[in-house]
């Protein structure tokens, strides 16, 4: 458990550094917007590809069960994301922001290190397959939630062909075929992908710096969303997994992934669409802070 808490604190320190840099005028809204574009269009796709460019791939026989569990999980999460914000004390125009926060956790940035800390390094391979649906859907439903206005959501078919989606298609192909790219191909993607985590967390910290601190702790709806995001929904997924007799290892890894704090991409999307940035920063900040306690607590139920 100490390793889990340590990992959460390390990542949170990067958020604090982003906050400091913004206060020192080394980061601002314009810089964040450009950097978020770089992360979404270049480093994030590289991270997706590099996750399947190791020397070892998971057993191909497990790929289909893992994908099924992953997709069913996100059907539940997205269904809850459409339904639950209607019962939260928020404006109808802000429901899409809360829907995003409920549906998508910070799997790519925080999930993999946490899974490795709890289940061992080999579990990261399972987590990467379980995370494919998130990778595919966050750029479809994620942008759908955030770009919508006044409760109306627009679907942009171009999201199916954005860089991150193309990287997702290619990564699935690599896993299915079992092809191991040579180092001359994999290393550039690994180096670019490594930029994603610190850049995204610095952007979150910079965004938080533009929000009055007392606002970060004074929103009832954010607290309700945090409880749902970090504990109640993951526990529901755990119950359903056991009810459906899902393999214990797969189920436990999946539940931990479902309990991650709000996805960092939410802040990046809000910056791009210039909408809901303050609410998203509040939710990301609070869930990241609370997850230092909630994730170790959740592991007690596994």
């Amino acid at each position: 458990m100490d390793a889990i808490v340590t990992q959460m604190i390390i990542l949170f320190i990067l958020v604090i550094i982003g906050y400091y840099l913004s206060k020192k005028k080394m980061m601002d809204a314009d810089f964040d917007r450009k950097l978020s574009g770089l992360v979404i269009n270049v480093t994030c796709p590289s991270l997706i590809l590099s996750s399947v460019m190791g020397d070892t791939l998971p057993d191909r026989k497990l790929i289909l069960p893992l994908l099924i569990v992953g997709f069913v999980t996100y059907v539940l999460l997205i269904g809850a994301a459409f339904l639950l914000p209607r019962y939260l004390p928020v404006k109808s125009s802000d429901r899409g922001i809360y829907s995003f926060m409920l549906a998508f956790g910070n799997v790519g940035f925080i999930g993999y290190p946490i899974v490795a800390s709890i289940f061992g390094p080999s579990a990261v391979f399972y987590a990467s397959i379980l995370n494919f649906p998130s990778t595919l859907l966050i750029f479809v439903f994620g942008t759908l939630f955030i770009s919508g206005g006044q409760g109306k959501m627009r679907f942009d078919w171009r999201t199916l062909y954005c860089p991150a989606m193309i990287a997702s298609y290619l990564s699935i192909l690599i896993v299915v075929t079992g092809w191991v790219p040579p180092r001359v191909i994999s290393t550039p993607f690994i180096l670019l992908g490594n930029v994603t985590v610190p850049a995204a967390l610095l952007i979150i910290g910079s965004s938080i710096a533009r929000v009055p601190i007392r606002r970060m702790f004074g929103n009832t709806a954010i607290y309700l969303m945090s409880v749902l995001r970090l504990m109640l929904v993951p526990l529901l997924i755990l119950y359903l997994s056991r009810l459906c007799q899902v393999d214990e290892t797969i189920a436990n890894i999946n539940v931990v992934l479902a309990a991650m704090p709000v996805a960092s991409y939410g802040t990046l999307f809000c910056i791009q669409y210039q909408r809901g940035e303050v609410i998203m920063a509040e939710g990301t900040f609070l869930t990241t802070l609370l997850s230092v306690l909630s994730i170790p607590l959740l592991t007690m139920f596994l």
Side-chain angles (χ1 to χ4, degrees):
M1 186 173 292
D2 288 342
I4 302 170
V5 174
T6 299
Q7 185 64 46
M8 300 304 299
I9 292 174
I10 290 171
L11 296 173
F12 197 72
I13 287 173
L14 289 175
V15 176
I16 295 174
I17 292 173
Y19 180 94
Y20 173 81
L21 292 176
S22 182
K23 289 297 185 182
K24 290 296 183 179
K25 309 301 180 184
M26 286 185 273
M27 297 181 71
D28 57 24
D30 184 58
F31 179 85
D32 291 352
R33 188 171 295 111
K34 292 178 180 178
L35 184 57
S36 67
L38 179 68
V39 170
I40 290 174
N41 295 309
V42 180
T43 71
C44 169
S46 297
L47 180 66
I48 294 168
L49 284 169
S50 66
S51 70
V52 294
M53 286 185 172
D55 294 329
T56 307
L57 289 174
D59 186 348
R60 296 179 189 177
K61 295 179 182 178
L62 293 176
I63 292 175
L64 184 57
L66 286 164
L67 286 173
I68 291 173
V69 171
F71 272 106
V72 170
T73 298
Y74 275 92
V75 167
L76 293 173
L77 288 173
I78 291 172
F82 273 108
L83 178 64
L84 294 177
R86 299 175 182 272
Y87 301 98
L88 295 177
V90 299
K91 300 176 182 177
S92 59
S93 60
D94 292 333
R95 286 176 184 168
I97 307 300
Y98 283 85
S99 292
F100 181 97
M101 292 191 287
L102 286 169
F104 299 106
N106 202 342
V107 175
F109 295 166
I110 299 178
Y112 293 154
I114 294 300
V115 165
S117 299
I118 299 173
F119 303 102
S122 61
V124 175
F125 294 120
Y126 298 98
S128 67
I129 304 300
L130 287 167
N131 191 44
F132 276 134
S134 172
T135 303
L136 293 167
L137 296 174
I138 196 170
F139 285 92
V140 178
F141 285 95
T143 54
L144 181 69
F145 286 138
I146 291 176
S147 64
Q150 301 300 320
K152 298 179 180 179
M153 299 182 182
R154 303 182 301 274
F155 179 76
D156 187 351
W157 288 98
R158 288 176 297 180
T159 58
L160 295 175
Y161 306 102
C162 68
M165 291 297 290
I166 293 173
S168 299
Y169 303 146
L170 292 174
S171 63
I172 291 175
L173 183 63
I174 290 171
V175 172
V176 171
T177 60
W179 178 60
V180 179
R183 284 194 62 199
V184 69
I185 294 177
S186 63
T187 301
F189 287 109
I190 293 171
L191 291 174
L192 282 171
N194 288 342
V195 175
T196 306
V197 175
L201 295 175
L202 288 174
I203 292 169
I204 292 170
S206 179
S207 299
I208 290 172
R210 295 191 290 275
V211 181
I213 286 294
R214 56 186 178 181
R215 280 207 59 180
M216 307 302 271
F217 299 97
N219 189 330
T220 302
I222 292 291
Y223 279 98
L224 293 173
M225 180 279 301
S226 298
V227 172
L228 290 167
R229 165 81 257 174
L230 298 175
M231 290 299 297
L232 296 186
V233 172
L235 286 174
L236 174 62
I237 291 173
L238 177 61
Y239 170 76
L240 293 175
S241 297
R242 291 178 175 173
L243 188 66
C244 297
Q245 298 184 340
V246 175
D247 177 84
E248 184 178 356
T249 300
I250 294 176
N252 290 344
I253 294 172
N254 191 48
V255 169
V256 171
L257 294 179
M260 291 298 110
V262 173
S264 302
Y265 293 125
T267 300
L268 308 185
F269 290 151
C270 286
I271 290 173
Q272 280 206 329
Y273 287 101
Q274 300 182 20
R275 181 172 184 273
E277 184 179 344
V278 171
I279 296 173
M280 187 65 71
E282 291 176 353
T284 304
F285 173 83
L286 190 60
T287 55
T288 302
L289 178 64
L290 294 177
S291 66
V292 175
L293 298 175
S294 66
I295 292 175
L297 179 62
L298 184 67
T299 60
M300 297 173 62
F301 293 90
L302 302 179

